[in-house]
Amino acid sequence: EMLLAEKDEL
Amino acid sequence: MNIFRFLGDMSHILSFVILLLKITQGKSAAGISLRTQELYMIVFCSRYLDLFWNFSSLYNSFLKVVFIACSSAIVYIIRFKSPQKDTWNPELDNFPIQYLIGPCAVAGLLINQDWTPFEMIWAFSIYLEAVAILPQLFLLQKQGEVENLTSHYVAALGAYRGLYLMNWVYRYFTEDDYLQRIVWFAGTVQTGLYIDFFYHYYQSKRGGLSRPVKLP
């Protein structure tokens, strides 16, 4: 399973 | 949140302030690429679609709204408002942006983190942001000499990219599981586009003189 990077940047 | 990321966001906001001041106070959009501004509007509107379902922090959500609002306001003023709309020169600012949007859309469909519609749109926005400054750089190149405020605007955007690059390096070494290949690749390409501009910006601003930037 691919780990999705958290979208915490703009 | 680290200092590089924060300062990066602040110089991004500064770039909007400089541009808005220039076109509202100076009443002219001469030297500003509407094409680039439209690309940024597309970038923010597509990337921040997740405002409706993702919440990371108030800071993030607030800035997302600010970025969409500022880029929309800039496009609106240059396209529709007098006297600014009469100062925009479509013959000079004629970069064929369909050749940027098309390939970025295909890249977004093919190369993304997960095969969901939003991940495709999100990747598209990352790729498009990387090249969105090109119409502006080409316009400056054509004009040869760059007005001070315009050069400060591009410099603030370049600083934002450089600081984000440092933010990624910092996060890579301080956080576990922090991997963002798409963002890093596109961000590095994007920052690279500013290198030539920064060389000329430095040449004309060194020694505290405020000469206009001259491009070859």
Side-chain angles (χ1 to χ4, degrees):
Chain A
E1 193 191 342
M2 198 173 167
L3 193 73
L4 275 185
E6 201 196 337
K7 301 201 183 328
D8 61 353
E9 289 178 353
L10 291 162
Chain B
M1 178 70 74
N2 58 67
I3 188 74
F4 305 113
R5 155 85 199 276
F6 180 71
L7 291 178
D9 289 339
M10 291 306 113
S11 54
H12 200 181
I13 292 173
L14 180 66
S15 76
F16 283 117
V17 172
I18 293 172
L19 192 47
L20 278 167
L21 275 178
K22 180 188 153 60
I23 59 177
T24 56
Q25 305 303 304
K27 307 262 180 234
S28 166
I32 298 300
S33 169
L34 175 63
R35 297 289 168 228
T36 282
Q37 297 307 319
E38 287 172 334
L39 290 178
Y40 280 135
M41 198 175 87
I42 297 172
V43 164
F44 297 134
C45 288
S46 44
R47 187 179 313 160
Y48 301 152
L49 269 178
D50 71 345
L51 262 173
F52 295 107
W53 65 87
N54 269 343
F55 182 82
S56 163
S57 66
L58 201 57
Y59 173 89
N60 261 22
S61 299
F62 177 67
L63 287 198
K64 285 176 179 180
V65 174
V66 168
F67 291 172
I68 292 173
C70 286
S71 58
S72 308
I74 290 164
V75 167
Y76 171 76
I77 293 170
I78 301 178
R79 199 169 258 291
F80 301 112
K81 224 169 149 4
S82 283
Q84 288 89 343
K85 70 175 164 66
D86 306 310
T87 62
W88 175 62
N89 185 340
E91 271 107 59
L92 267 181
D93 186 21
N94 62 355
F95 193 97
I97 53 173
Q98 63 272 28
Y99 294 136
L100 297 179
I101 298 174
C104 287
V106 174
L109 285 173
L110 297 177
I111 310 162
N112 51 66
Q113 295 190 49
D114 189 14
W115 302 94
T116 60
F118 178 63
E119 284 299 332
M120 292 174 182
I121 294 171
W122 184 84
F124 158 72
S125 85
I126 295 289
Y127 301 137
L128 191 61
E129 186 187 353
V131 292
I133 194 68
L134 283 176
Q136 179 67 66
L137 292 178
F138 272 78
L139 178 59
L140 299 185
Q141 200 73 245
K142 276 189 199 167
Q143 299 191 136
E145 194 169 283
V146 187
E147 207 187 307
N148 266 318
L149 270 180
T150 310
S151 70
H152 294 328
Y153 166 69
V154 180
L157 269 181
Y160 146 63
R161 292 320 306 180
L163 285 158
Y164 252 68
L165 218 58
M166 291 196 252
N167 155 57
W168 296 329
V169 173
Y170 179 85
R171 290 189 70 174
Y172 180 75
F173 287 109
T174 54
E175 292 175 29
D176 303 326
D177 307 325
Y178 179 74
L179 264 184
Q180 300 211 67
R181 292 194 188 88
I182 290 175
V183 175
W184 293 343
F185 171 73
T188 307
V189 170
Q190 188 178 358
T191 313
L193 296 180
Y194 288 91
I195 289 176
D196 182 64
F197 173 84
F198 262 102
Y199 171 76
H200 297 289
Y201 187 73
Y202 171 75
Q203 291 293 326
S204 61
K205 302 290 186 255
R206 68 177 176 182
L209 295 170
S210 186
R211 285 175 298 191
V213 176
K214 279 199 169 63
L215 299 173

